[in-house]
Amino acid sequence: MNKQSIATNVRQIADLLAISGENHYKVTAYRNAAAALLQSPFDLDEITRKSVSVPGIGPDSLTLIRWCIEGGLKAAMEHLGISIPATSHQLLRVPGIGPKTALTLVHNYHVDSLAALQAALDSNRLLRKPGFTTDKVKRMKRDVAVLIERTCSYPIAQVWPWGMEFKYSLESLQGVDQVSITGDARRLMPMCKRLELIVSVHDQTPFQTWCEANCARRTDDGYEWHMGPSDNPLTVRVYATEPTSFAERQMETTGDQIHNEVIKGLLKQAGYSWTQTGICNDRGSRVSPATEEEIYALVGLPLFPPELRADRGLLQNPATLVQQADIQGDLHVHSNWSDGSLSIPEVVERAESLGYAYIAITDHSQSLSIANGLTPERVIAQKAELERVRSLAKIKLFHGIEVDILADGSLDLPDDILADLDIVIASVHGAMYQSRSQMTNRLVSAIRNPHVDVIGHPTGRIIGRRAGYQLDIEAIVEEAARHGVALELNANPNRLDISEDGLRIAAQAGVAIAINTDTHHPNEFANMAYGIRMAHRGWLTKGAILNTLSYTDLSERLKGQ
């Protein structure tokens, strides 16, 4: 078993103990140990033999890790005397269900898994039971559907980094020429059924040894293995090919069925055939294109980015799509004035290193106390700090706020404070169980506030964990168009909010999109790359993006708003 699997088991044990009523300190210790295990540079053998000391893994946690290695989750449960079903930990994934509610579900209603909860919700067996209002049941049905999907697929925020780790590892092998992530992840599908890579190899031995070290099994065209928890493993598939076939196999494994069939049809019209042996001309000779760009050129098309290789993507013009070089700045960044880890000077320094023309400081507002949200007095104090930094900075600074949209649609700060800011992002962070009409009216109310410039993460989804709130996106777009308010494409890979369908609706209505990272920590500035790729899925052009404007043009627009 690998560290990922053992850490998952330790987290599951912590959840089961929490549901069973175990003391908080023990539960927290096990959760911390799971995190420490993943972060440790040492392998399992070194840790369990106590040849190294790992902060966060104490004697009790080390014993639990050994139990998990020796007998898995079941053995660890027996050692700890846990009597509730092992699947009960799944209930804590559902927003709105804590340990006490989970224990009630298990003992009173015999609901001990996500599948059982879905059945109970669908049959209305829980409706109007204590804590289960009509609106909450509706919301849970949507959230549980997302989590059930999560049991047969993984969020892109996990799959892409894992894929990059495998890519770097494969590229370091002798005999390997090219490596690429392919399949769902390369198209930036929010949920991926598997992690797929393609490798061109001229010496099989090092590659085969690497695959065997991952306990991979041989397939017709490569290797396959599983990683992650045993009750929800991620399939990893590596396609092996000769260097001369890499581009063809890469393209074939990237596009969806419709895209590939259209390309093969166009090749046939142009006098080529694409068979199992590769692309051949009308004389039957292999063409062996070196790149995907050369394959598209055979049918007179430009290179289509992977994110367009599905649905009606072939109808778009790749040359018009927004590119990362078009982005002039990030309009949603948190500092250590609220829950960010960087000071304002550090944010500015990072933005300068990225070549941005401007950056916006948009900390949380006061109602989000858990994030150290800013009161009116602190907003005023922050303005003074910003002016000091502005005088020393090489780039332009916008002083902004991410103001909470309260349950009644009002904003969390008074108008006179908002009016004095350069940019105002309005976002929902609470009361997410409202009905579709309530939530729609709530956002419409915020859009109508004359000081609001952008609606942040408009649907509130967390990919693989939480469905977006119920919302009439067409009504939101219509109102945003009427008032000149932009919608955010939140580039955090856990969000990618709004979806490609929402992006297309907004662009068609002429609503500007702000691609923002919602950065809280230094490494999150790099999430802009996810945002650009998501914009490609939404077919967005440079002209549709708010933060491709120059500082002067953006300032004028914000003042006009």
Side-chain angles (χ1 to χ4, degrees):
M1 299 182 78
N2 57 33
K3 287 202 292 186
Q4 176 77 30
S5 299
I6 298 301
T8 299
N9 283 346
V10 172
R11 279 196 302 268
Q12 290 171 348
I13 287 291
D15 288 344
L16 292 169
L17 288 172
I19 294 170
S20 301
E22 183 60 74
N23 79 71
H24 169 74
Y25 297 105
K26 188 170 187 176
V27 171
T28 301
Y30 285 164
R31 286 176 176 157
N32 290 342
L37 181 61
L38 288 176
Q39 293 167 5
S40 171
F42 304 110
D43 63 34
L44 274 175
D45 189 50
E46 290 176 302
I47 293 170
T48 54
R49 284 191 290 106
K50 296 179 69 172
S51 56
V52 294
S53 176
V54 179
I57 300 180
D60 288 349
S61 297
L62 189 59
T63 299
L64 173 57
I65 289 169
R66 290 197 183 105
W67 289 337
C68 291
I69 292 171
E70 293 164 4
L73 183 66
K74 184 177 179 181
M77 289 176 64
E78 290 174 355
H79 280 293
L80 291 166
I82 297 172
S83 59
I84 60 175
T87 53
S88 303
H89 72 86
Q90 298 173 2
L91 300 175
L92 294 186
R93 300 180 198 166
V94 182
I97 294 183
K100 290 182 180 179
T101 301
L103 188 62
T104 299
L105 286 169
V106 172
H107 283 170
N108 295 2
Y109 305 112
H110 306 292
V111 171
D112 54 19
S113 67
L114 283 175
L117 178 58
Q118 186 176 49
L121 292 169
D122 289 344
S123 67
N124 291 324
R125 186 155 58 92
L126 299 176
L127 193 59
R128 288 184 285 278
K129 293 290 192 292
F132 291 90
T133 63
T134 301
D135 286 343
K136 187 169 184 177
V137 166
K138 285 181 181 177
R139 171 73 188 187
M140 277 191 176
K141 284 181 179 179
R142 299 174 70 238
D143 284 337
V144 169
V146 169
L147 293 167
I148 290 288
E149 181 190 14
R150 173 70 174 77
T151 62
C152 58
S153 54
Y154 268 72
I156 188 67
Q158 291 180 279
V159 174
W160 188 260
W162 287 340
M164 291 303 292
E165 286 183 22
F166 284 131
K167 181 176 183 291
Y168 295 144
S169 181
L170 283 163
E171 286 174 336
S172 69
L173 299 179
Q174 292 285 336
V176 170
D177 296 298
Q178 295 183 78
V179 184
S180 172
I181 297 172
T182 189
D184 289 353
R186 193 169 181 229
R187 296 200 311 276
L188 200 76
M189 290 286 288
M191 295 293 291
C192 302
K193 293 180 181 177
R194 64 185 69 88
L195 169 56
E196 297 169 276
L197 297 100
I198 181 167
V199 184
S200 68
V201 183
H202 67 263
D203 180 358
Q204 291 281 341
T205 303
F207 170 65
Q208 289 175 351
T209 302
W210 184 90
C211 290
E212 288 164 4
N214 281 290
C215 302
R217 68 176 183 85
R218 190 73 186 254
T219 64
D220 291 340
D221 53 1
Y223 287 85
E224 184 176 286
W225 69 94
H226 302 289
M227 62 180 290
S230 57
D231 64 340
N232 181 26
L234 172 67
T235 298
V236 181
R237 187 173 294 170
V238 179
Y239 304 103
T241 185
E242 296 177 355
T244 55
S245 300
F246 183 81
E248 294 154 284
R249 197 73 181 104
Q250 181 185 34
M251 187 162 171
E252 196 171 32
T253 55
T254 295
D256 72 356
Q257 184 177 353
I258 293 174
H259 183 89
N260 289 343
E261 287 178 356
V262 170
I263 295 299
K264 288 178 180 179
L266 292 173
L267 282 167
K268 187 174 182 180
Q269 291 176 18
Y272 299 94
S273 60
W274 193 340
T275 67
Q276 289 184 340
T277 59
I279 298 176
C280 301
N281 59 26
D282 55 4
R283 297 183 301 277
S285 302
R286 279 287 307 276
V287 177
S288 299
T291 64
E292 292 178 313
E293 188 171 10
E294 291 182 13
I295 298 174
Y296 282 109
L298 292 175
V299 295
L301 290 174
L303 175 67
F304 278 72
E307 299 83 15
L308 283 188
R309 301 184 200 178
D311 192 28
R312 293 170 290 149
L314 268 174
L315 301 178
Q316 310 310 309
N317 180 0
T320 66
L321 295 177
V322 64
Q323 302 299 326
Q324 188 149 354
D326 298 325
I327 298 297
Q328 299 298 301
D330 198 333
L331 299 177
H332 189 168
V333 177
H334 296 270
S335 76
N336 60 6
W337 279 70
S338 63
D339 60 344
S341 61
L342 295 175
S343 67
I344 292 175
E346 288 171 333
V347 169
V348 171
E349 182 181 357
R350 185 58 61 98
E352 289 174 345
S353 72
L354 292 170
Y356 286 157
Y358 50 77
I359 197 77
I361 304 296
T362 53
D363 281 305
H364 289 290
S365 61
Q366 58 189 348
S367 71
L368 210 61
S369 56
I370 193 172
N372 193 29
L374 273 61
T375 61
E377 294 76 20
R378 292 185 68 217
V379 173
I380 294 169
Q382 187 185 56
K383 183 182 175 95
E385 163 75 357
L386 213 79
E387 290 298 337
R388 184 187 68 80
V389 176
R390 187 177 272 151
S391 66
L392 302 172
K394 298 174 184 176
I395 64 171
K396 303 295 185 180
L397 273 67
F398 290 107
H399 185 205
I401 197 80
E402 184 183 13
V403 64
D404 262 38
I405 306 173
L406 303 179
D408 62 357
S410 63
L411 301 183
D412 188 33
L413 289 170
D415 281 348
D416 62 324
I417 293 293
L418 299 177
D420 199 37
L421 294 166
D422 300 318
I423 184 169
V424 173
I425 298 174
S427 305
V428 169
H429 289 108
M432 296 182 186
Y433 289 99
Q434 291 180 324
S435 67
R436 188 171 189 262
S437 61
Q438 285 176 313
M439 189 60 78
T440 301
N441 290 337
R442 182 177 173 185
L443 264 68
V444 164
S445 178
I447 290 169
R448 289 175 178 170
N449 185 295
H451 306 300
V452 170
D453 301 296
V454 181
I455 297 296
H457 42 75
T459 74
R461 75 171 180 179
I462 303 294
I463 297 168
R465 285 167 46 201
R466 183 178 77 203
Y469 21 79
Q470 299 178 75
L471 196 63
D472 183 343
I473 192 65
E474 287 84 1
I476 297 302
V477 166
E478 182 181 343
E479 200 68 23
R482 184 178 295 117
H483 292 273
V485 172
L487 299 182
E488 180 180 70
L489 165 48
N490 191 293
N492 185 310
N494 292 292
R495 289 187 180 273
L496 298 178
D497 185 9
I498 49 181
S499 70
E500 58 265 38
D501 291 336
L503 292 172
R504 294 167 194 171
I505 292 169
Q508 190 171 10
V511 173
I513 301 295
I515 305 179
N516 296 328
T517 62
D518 194 359
T519 284
H520 289 72
H521 306 290
N523 62 317
E524 292 173 352
F525 281 102
N527 287 341
M528 186 62 74
Y530 286 107
I532 296 299
R533 294 174 64 195
M534 191 65 186
H536 290 175
R537 287 183 63 83
W539 309 338
L540 298 184
T541 65
K542 175 182 176 180
I545 308 303
L546 185 66
N547 44 328
T548 62
L549 293 176
S550 68
Y551 172 76
T552 300
D553 289 344
L554 180 56
S555 296
E556 289 178 1
R557 176 186 166 114
L558 294 173
K559 288 174 184 175
Q561 169 62 18

